[in-house]
Amino acid sequence: MLRLVGEDYISELSRGKHERVEAREGGLFRTDDLKTGETYSAILQRAGQDFIEVEASGGMPFELMTYSMGSYGAHFCEVRINEESCEVRVSRWLGSFDCGRILNPKTAVSQFRGGIIMGIGMALTEETLFDERKGRIMNPSLAEYHVPVNLDVPHIEIIYNDIPDEHTPLGAHGIGEIGITGAAAAIANAVFHATGKRVRDLPITLDKLL
């Protein structure tokens, strides 16, 4: 935009350096002289252009180049297994997380719980079945692809540190997928402690525990 101003335009704005010019009130103005400036429409009109388009890419944020910005979590769960049918039910869950400052507790806890419920489905019910002869998916809809429902989900307790990270602008880390990370492994470990069988192929179906 400063180049479009043009050197022939008799104004201190055209000779201003980037650090002395700011964008405000729909145009460019000098920071040391609030009255010296021009609107974007006036600059484009004089330059004979309808619009200006510029592309640029920035480098990684300095804090990411210097510090680890990861979020952390730990899952603890209890399972109950029927001795006759080998049906696995998750009865209790505790998730503990460190994601820096929690900006919105309600949405953050919902994100944590949602990831844990996805992990329960990953560990116990969800499986895509293929017809090996034709490569066809045999459970292509939610009628045959089993996801956790209300009765499959126990009381889920969530705790978090809520300690701001001094190296980030808001003190927050991303929550994203941290809720599901390790959830299926926690269930597999609980099943191992209950039955002595280490299942490494998910989901943990009845036939794998018989």
Side-chain angles (χ1 to χ4, degrees), residues 37-116:
E38 257 197 305
T39 63
Y40 296 133
S41 59
I43 296 174
L44 292 173
Q45 184 177 6
R46 190 177 61 258
Q49 295 184 211
D50 294 329
F51 64 90
I52 180 174
E53 183 176 350
V54 179
E55 293 185 6
S57 58
M60 291 182 63
F62 175 76
E63 60 268 17
L64 290 180
M65 300 172 63
T66 309
Y67 305 100
S68 172
M69 294 289 118
S71 295
Y72 303 92
H75 294 281
F76 307 88
C77 72
E78 175 187 81
V79 299
R80 297 179 183 273
I81 303 176
N82 188 298
E83 293 183 0
E84 296 182 0
S85 67
C86 294
E87 179 185 9
V88 180
R89 307 289 290 183
V90 181
S91 53
R92 288 195 299 169
W93 200 289
L94 168 65
S96 175
F97 302 95
D98 179 7
C99 300
R101 171 176 287 161
I102 301 298
L103 303 180
N104 189 319
K106 181 176 290 187
T107 56
V109 170
S110 178
Q111 179 77 3
F112 292 139
R113 285 202 176 103
I116 291 169

Side-chain angles (χ1 to χ4, degrees), residues 10-195:
I10 304 176
S11 171
E12 290 297 323
L13 182 62
S14 64
R15 293 183 289 276
K17 296 182 179 180
H18 290 86
E19 60 268 18
R20 293 189 305 202
V21 177
E22 65 180 356
R24 57 180 169 85
E25 300 178 14
L28 297 179
F29 293 85
R30 292 285 297 270
T31 57
D32 54 354
D33 185 355
L34 300 181
K35 296 182 179 180
T36 300
E38 257 197 305
T39 63
Y40 296 133
S41 59
I43 296 174
L44 292 173
Q45 184 177 6
R46 190 177 61 258
Q49 295 184 211
D50 294 329
F51 64 90
I52 180 174
E53 183 176 350
V54 179
E55 293 185 6
S57 58
M60 291 182 63
F62 175 76
E63 60 268 17
L64 290 180
M65 300 172 63
T66 309
Y67 305 100
S68 172
M69 294 289 118
S71 295
Y72 303 92
H75 294 281
F76 307 88
C77 72
E78 175 187 81
V79 299
R80 297 179 183 273
I81 303 176
N82 188 298
E83 293 183 0
E84 296 182 0
S85 67
C86 294
E87 179 185 9
V88 180
R89 307 289 290 183
V90 181
S91 53
R92 288 195 299 169
W93 200 289
L94 168 65
S96 175
F97 302 95
D98 179 7
C99 300
R101 171 176 287 161
I102 301 298
L103 303 180
N104 189 319
K106 181 176 290 187
T107 56
V109 170
S110 178
Q111 179 77 3
F112 292 139
R113 285 202 176 103
I116 291 169
I117 294 171
M118 291 173 63
I120 293 174
M122 177 183 178
L124 298 178
T125 64
E126 298 186 44
E127 183 178 17
T128 302
L129 301 174
F130 290 96
D131 185 341
E132 297 182 358
R133 298 168 300 175
K134 299 182 178 180
R136 178 179 176 271
I137 297 177
M138 295 188 292
N139 53 342
S141 71
L142 290 179
E144 295 84 18
Y145 184 87
H146 298 155
V147 297
V149 296
N150 285 349
L151 290 177
D152 298 315
V153 180
H155 172 70
I156 299 176
E157 183 179 355
I158 300 295
I159 58 176
Y160 50 80
N161 292 348
D162 197 19
I163 301 176
D165 187 338
E166 60 182 9
H167 302 300
T168 63
L170 292 177
H173 291 180
I175 293 177
E177 302 294 326
I178 193 65
I180 194 176
T181 304
I187 294 176
N189 283 335
V191 169
F192 171 72
H193 286 295
T195 65

